[in-house]
Amino acid sequence: MASLGKFVALLFFCYMLKNAAAAAFSDDYIYSDEDIKPACDNSNCKLPNCSCFGDQPSIPLEHRPQFIMLTFDDAITVANIETYRKIAKQGRFKKNVRMTFFVCHEYNDYTLTNELYKEGHEIAVHTISHESNTDLWRTGSESRWKQETVGMRAMLTKFAGLPDKELAGHRAPFLQTAGDTTFNVLKNEGFLYDSSMPSRSFMDPPFWPYTLDHGYSQDCQIQPCPSEDFAGLWEIPMIQYVRESKEGEFFCSMVDACTPQPVTPQDTKDFLMKNFRRHYRSNKAPFPVFLHEAWLRNENRLEGFLQFFEEVLQYDNVFAVPIRDVVEYIRKPTTYTAFSQRQQAAAQLCKKKETCSYTEPLRIMKSCTTCPKYYPWVGTPMGKIPPKDFPN
């Protein structure tokens, strides 16, 4: 009897082992979230409108261009325009620098915005209010995000005379999105790309921009991140920088956020060059130089910054271009010798530069068109009714 009992127990053990193995290979097996990856391959994601996470241009590495994406956030004003002119000065470098400006409304000079656009730089959306309370962005409704983004695009069209179709990019204030809520608005309102999402896990080697047809695939540094699919919407990753010091390594999504900040021209140049080489010597993923102009008001830092561009733009395969040019390149890649800059649609002439003064709230606005009756704001981008909920 004892032997029979052992035999039955053995049969039961084998039965359980067999079923466990079957479950492991069954379609019903529940994987962890980390194991589940968006199903994206070249059979269901094809250029020019879809690109999988991790894809690279079909051009051989030695023939690929190395793009530098230089962007500045916030309003364009008389206080920062001279820095932009120094960087973009014709003939300063072997190849001209063309930038992307993520513009918000407060204190923005729309006449200078028109000027920069006509010089070949890209203008993109950074919301109207740029509200400093990040919780308002994180929990914001689709209605709020639509008012902020579509409203800012309408302001740039109206007061700077820019073509609506050229205002294709978006960056969230403080890089804080509301996840799917934000991306639903961007997709539904016809934006081409977002550049708000930092990545530390995919710095070395870096990765190329991709579309969200099969979901958000990079690491989530600032929650919430999108979880749905957004066909045709490009993500331009904010691949982080690393800054080394005696205290260790410091990572940052914006160049000016890395500490300790460089204080000499050589240190500034070396900081930029070391991070640049991580891209240039691997897969030539576009190199981000994302910052705020105030970082360059230090003369030594500006000098080192210009020295960096002076050196790298001597390379035949390096180009400083707006983000929109990078997207269009990925859609139709060429060798670096065949690369040519994208031609933007013409802006309206800023024939009459108006200075618009308001008392409630107390603001001045420079415009390329007739001043609106009321100060333009969230919910009233054309200034047809008095602004509400204006911060003090």
Side-chain angles (χ1 to χ4, degrees), residues 20-94:
F25 294 96
S26 168
D27 289 339
D28 295 328
Y29 180 76
I30 304 300
Y31 292 84
S32 71
D33 289 341
E34 292 182 349
D35 293 329
I36 299 173
K37 301 296 183 186
C40 185
D41 57 49
N42 295 131
S43 66
N44 60 15
C45 182
K46 298 180 181 295
L47 294 172
N49 297 319
C50 183
S51 181
C52 292
F53 176 80
D55 278 0
Q56 299 182 34
S58 57
I59 305 300
L61 187 60
E62 64 272 21
H63 297 299
R64 281 183 206 169
Q66 173 66 69
F67 294 119
I68 299 176
M69 302 178 295
L70 173 57
T71 76
F72 289 95
D73 286 11
D74 304 336
I76 297 166
T77 70
V78 293
N80 55 37
I81 189 65
E82 289 307 316
T83 301
Y84 303 147
R85 286 170 175 161
K86 287 178 182 178
I87 297 169
K89 182 181 177 181
Q90 295 284 324
R92 177 181 289 279
F93 309 115
K94 183 178 180 180

Side-chain angles (χ1 to χ4, degrees), residues 6 26 28 138 151 248 258 261 278 316 321-322 344 364 368 375:
K6 290 181 179 179
S26 168
D28 295 328
R138 180 175 55 81
C258 266
Q261 294 192 352
R278 190 172 63 251
D316 290 340
V321 300
Q344 301 181 124
I364 292 178
C368 286
Y375 183 67

Side-chain angles (χ1 to χ4, degrees), residues 4 13 44 51 63-64 66 96 102 117 221 253 273 322 326:
L4 179 60
F13 174 76
N44 60 15
S51 181
H63 297 299
R64 281 183 206 169
Q66 173 66 69
N96 291 329
F102 289 97
Y117 177 86
Q221 292 288 317
S253 305
M273 189 67 74
V326 173

Side-chain angles (χ1 to χ4, degrees), residues 288-317:
V289 184
F290 301 158
L291 72 162
H292 301 81
E293 183 271 342
W295 193 72
L296 296 175
R297 294 186 188 178
N298 177 294
E299 292 184 1
N300 289 330
R301 204 174 292 145
L302 176 60
E303 183 180 345
F305 181 87
L306 295 175
Q307 288 176 2
F308 164 76
F309 276 94
E310 183 174 14
E311 179 170 332
V312 297
L313 289 178
Q314 292 184 43
Y315 305 167
D316 290 340
N317 58 356

Side-chain angles (χ1 to χ4, degrees), residues 97-114:
V97 173
R98 295 164 58 237
M99 302 171 268
T100 297
F101 295 91
F102 289 97
V103 179
C104 54
H105 172 61
E106 276 278 74
Y107 308 107
N108 188 60
D109 186 324
Y110 290 92
T111 67
L112 294 177
T113 304
N114 175 279

Side-chain angles (χ1 to χ4, degrees), residues 316-358:
D316 290 340
N317 58 356
V318 176
F319 305 87
V321 300
I323 290 178
R324 181 71 180 270
D325 284 43
V326 173
V327 172
E328 298 304 334
Y329 171 83
I330 299 173
R331 284 175 152 179
K332 191 176 180 181
T334 65
T335 63
Y336 72 84
T337 56
F339 171 73
S340 60
Q341 73 178 50
R342 175 179 173 272
Q343 297 300 311
Q344 301 181 124
Q348 296 178 15
L349 294 177
C350 195
K351 294 181 179 179
K352 188 176 181 182
K353 299 179 180 181
E354 297 277 359
T355 300
C356 311
S357 300
Y358 302 92

